[in-house]
């Protein structure tokens, strides 16, 4: 018996050494299709439900009214989603922790009132007024976070108290007049309905589309090179090209449609830039990873050395800052700070946008892009029903049904992943 030869044999590995993502890519289209089916069965739906819902909603309203997909209506949708969308971005951060902030609408109303008092009543410089208003929003959010993270008061109670208290302060600030007219200049003009990128120049929308496509291409190639150098699985060039082509088609078609009317609203440009920055913060920075870690499991995050209280305070502060910024967006739409600011269904729409877009109510899963997708759904429903002259009652019922469907999908998806051992 040749024992020396047997001793040279390498024992079989107990764990497969080949990354399953490599196998998927090696199998080509069949591999991607199999992977897609596996994710569906495992409850990893991503943004698929909201994209399908958006296609269905647009198809139904276009069949009912041929003006729905007109360029003018698309410009209106893209403009009016930005204000509430800002509130939804802040709520995405809070929802990633598995918490809720019920005060964002009141904070937005207070922010618009304070900005009006600073700049109209006291003649403060417009940009200084904007900075001071946003800082106050950040401070309000930090106060909420402090009572939640340090004192131990449930976030629901703290922010509900904020909802009432900040609303009362807004009424006191506006006083007997009840409203203040805000001049259409400075940042407020940039956020207004008559402000478009490059003054409606037809090149503006195509420049934005080109910048977006090139940025995604470069980011993908840089990530590919970084992962290749580190010796970990990376996205093949063919897949990157395919993704960029799909993005380019969407971007240039959107630019073409918006150009047929008035171009790209500056409010939408600022909103999209905000989403890019927030997405980078959440996915590429240590702070973002800490947010996901705390939302995924507080005890595990604490044992990993994460300062849970600091992350919570920072997240609620971010939500307050975005609420203040959203209040400026909404004030720019009417050029007025009124007692009605932050009232009505604004809070519910902001929460619904974040959830409908795909952010989990249970924490640890979501993306700031869900604010855009969710607002597209909600604003499309509102605009479509307005074109059909349907009442607000119908509007509320349909939006509520879509929100319920999103939560049900989230719950079922999470349960399926838990059953399959992926959550």
């Amino acid at each position: 018996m040749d024992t020396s030869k047997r001793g040279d044999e390498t024992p079989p590995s107990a764990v497969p050494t080949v990354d399953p993502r490599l196998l998927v890519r090696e199998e080509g289209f069949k591999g991607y299709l199999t992977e897609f089916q596996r994710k569906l069965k495992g409850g990893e739906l991503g943004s698929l439900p909201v994209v399908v819902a958006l296609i269905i909603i647009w198809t139904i309203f276009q069949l009912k009214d041929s003006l729905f997909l007109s360029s003018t209506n698309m410009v209106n949708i893209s403009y009016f989603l930005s204000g509430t969308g800002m509130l939804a971005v802040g709520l995405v951060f809070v929802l990633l922790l598995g918490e809720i902030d019920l005060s964002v609408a009141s904070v937005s109303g207070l922010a618009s009132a304070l900005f009006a008092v600073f700049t109209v009543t006291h003649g403060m410089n417009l940009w200084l007024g904007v900075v001071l208003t946003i800082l106050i929003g950040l401070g309000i959010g930090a106060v909420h976070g402090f009572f939640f993270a340090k004192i131990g008061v449930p976030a629901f109670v703290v922010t509900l108290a904020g909802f009432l208290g900040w609303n009362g302060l807004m009424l006191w600030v506006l006083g007997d007049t009840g409203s203040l007219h805000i001049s259409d200049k400075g940042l407020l003009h940039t956020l207004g309905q008559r402000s478009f990128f490059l003054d409606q120049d037809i090149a503006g929308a195509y420049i934005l589309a080109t910048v977006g496509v090139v940025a995604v291409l470069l980011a993908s190639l840089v990530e590919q090179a970084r992962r290749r150098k580190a010796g970990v699985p990376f996205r093949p060039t063919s897949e990157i090209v395919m993704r960029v082509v799909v993005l380019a088609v969407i971007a240039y078609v959107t630019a073409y449609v918006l150009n047929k009317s008035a171009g790209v609203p500056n409010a939408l440009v600022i909103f999209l830039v905000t989403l890019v920055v927030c997405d980078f913060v959440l996915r590429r920075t240590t702070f973002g990873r800490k947010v996901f870690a705390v939302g995924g499991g507080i005890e595990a995050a604490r044992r990993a050395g994460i300062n849970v209280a600091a992350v919570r305070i920072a997240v609620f502060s971010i939500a307050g800052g975005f609420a203040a910024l959203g209040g400026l967006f909404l004030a720019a739409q009417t050029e007025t700070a009124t007692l009605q600011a932050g009232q009505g269904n604004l809070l519910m729409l902001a929460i619904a946008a974040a959830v409908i877009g795909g952010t989990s109510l249970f924490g640890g899963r979501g993306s700031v892009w869900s604010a855009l997708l969710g607002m597209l759904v909600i604003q499309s429903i509102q605009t479509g029903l307005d074109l059909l002259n349907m009442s607000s009652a119908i509007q509320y019922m349909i939006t509520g049904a879509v929100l319920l469907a999103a939560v049900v999908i989230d719950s079922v998806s999470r349960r399926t992943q838990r059953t399959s051992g992926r959550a």
Side-chain angles (χ1 to χ4, degrees):
M1 184 180 292
D2 187 359
T3 54
S4 62
K5 187 175 181 181
R6 180 177 296 177
D8 294 339
E9 292 179 351
T10 303
S13 174
V15 180
T17 55
V18 180
D19 192 301
R21 288 172 293 183
L22 292 178
L23 295 177
V24 168
R25 287 161 185 165
E26 287 176 357
E27 293 177 0
F29 178 75
K30 181 183 175 183
Y32 285 103
L33 184 61
T34 305
E35 178 68 4
F36 177 70
Q37 293 172 340
R38 184 193 65 77
K39 286 186 175 181
L40 283 182
K41 292 178 182 177
E44 300 176 50
L45 301 177
S47 300
L48 181 63
V50 67
V51 172
V52 172
L54 196 59
I55 293 173
I56 293 173
I57 289 168
W58 284 11
T59 303
I60 291 174
F61 281 126
Q62 179 63 18
L63 291 176
K64 291 288 185 180
D65 191 323
S66 59
L67 292 177
F68 181 78
L69 289 181
S70 66
S71 57
T72 302
N73 196 45
M74 288 295 107
V75 169
N76 287 334
I77 290 176
S78 64
Y79 172 72
F80 284 106
L81 63 81
S82 304
T84 311
M86 280 294 180
L87 274 67
V89 171
L91 281 168
V92 167
F93 280 83
V94 178
L95 290 175
L96 287 175
L97 294 183
E99 302 295 339
I100 192 67
D101 187 341
L102 300 178
S103 69
V104 290
S106 292
V107 175
S108 73
L110 174 62
S112 64
L114 289 174
F115 177 79
V117 170
F118 292 153
T119 59
V120 178
T121 306
H122 299 290
M124 183 182 289
N125 176 276
L126 291 174
W127 285 101
L128 180 59
V130 168
V131 172
L132 186 57
T133 301
I134 294 175
L135 287 177
I136 291 174
L138 290 169
I140 290 174
V143 170
H144 295 158
F146 173 80
F147 279 102
F148 167 55
K150 290 292 187 180
I151 308 300
V153 183
F156 174 84
V157 177
V158 173
T159 55
L160 181 59
F163 169 79
L164 298 171
W166 305 124
N167 191 44
L169 182 58
M170 179 192 71
L171 300 178
W172 182 77
V173 168
L174 288 177
D176 296 332
T177 59
S179 68
L180 284 171
H181 176 71
I182 302 174
S183 300
D184 182 26
K185 55 185 180 181
L187 178 65
L188 267 293
H189 173 72
T190 304
L191 301 180
Q193 298 183 45
R194 294 186 292 276
S195 179
F196 293 88
F197 189 68
L198 290 186
D199 290 331
Q200 301 185 15
D201 192 311
I202 192 171
Y206 293 118
I207 289 175
L208 289 173
T210 304
V211 169
V213 171
V214 172
V216 170
L217 175 61
L218 292 178
S220 300
L221 292 177
V222 169
E223 183 180 8
Q224 182 198 53
R226 184 176 59 81
R227 296 181 68 87
R228 189 201 300 266
K229 185 178 180 181
V232 296
F234 56 88
R235 211 183 292 280
T237 305
S238 58
E239 184 179 332
I240 291 175
V241 171
M242 186 181 68
R243 285 170 174 260
V244 171
V245 168
V246 171
L247 174 64
V249 170
I250 295 173
Y252 285 108
V253 168
T254 303
Y256 171 76
V257 171
L258 296 181
N259 267 340
K260 288 182 68 178
S261 179
V264 185
N266 276 323
L268 177 64
V269 177
I270 296 173
F271 182 52
L272 292 177
V273 171
T274 302
L275 290 177
V276 171
V277 173
C278 290
D279 182 62
F280 178 82
V281 169
L282 279 176
R283 293 196 305 117
R284 301 294 183 189
T285 66
T286 303
F287 173 74
R289 296 187 188 99
K290 288 180 179 178
V291 172
F292 278 104
V294 174
I298 295 174
E299 191 54 37
R302 188 175 285 116
R303 292 186 179 186
I306 296 175
N307 188 335
V308 174
V311 172
R312 284 173 161 175
I313 293 174
V315 165
F316 275 89
S317 182
I318 290 171
F322 275 112
L325 189 56
L328 295 176
F329 271 69
L330 296 171
Q333 293 177 3
T334 59
E335 298 177 14
T336 310
T338 69
L339 297 176
Q340 286 71 43
Q343 305 292 317
N345 58 354
L346 178 60
L347 172 64
M348 294 299 109
L349 291 180
I351 296 175
V355 176
I356 290 172
T359 300
S360 174
L361 279 170
F362 306 101
R365 190 177 62 187
S367 162
V368 290
W369 293 102
S370 62
L372 174 62
L373 289 173
M375 279 310 303
L376 270 175
V377 170
I378 290 174
Q379 197 61 50
S380 297
I381 292 173
Q382 288 185 334
T383 308
L385 292 178
D386 285 343
L387 285 175
L388 298 177
N389 292 320
M390 289 191 176
S391 66
S392 298
I394 302 295
Q395 196 176 103
Y396 289 158
M397 285 189 282
I398 292 180
T399 306
V402 174
L403 174 60
L404 178 61
V407 176
V408 168
I409 290 173
D410 180 31
S411 302
V412 173
S413 170
R414 183 168 286 266
R415 187 188 308 164
T416 305
Q417 289 188 43
R418 193 181 298 119
T419 303
S420 59
R422 293 192 176 90

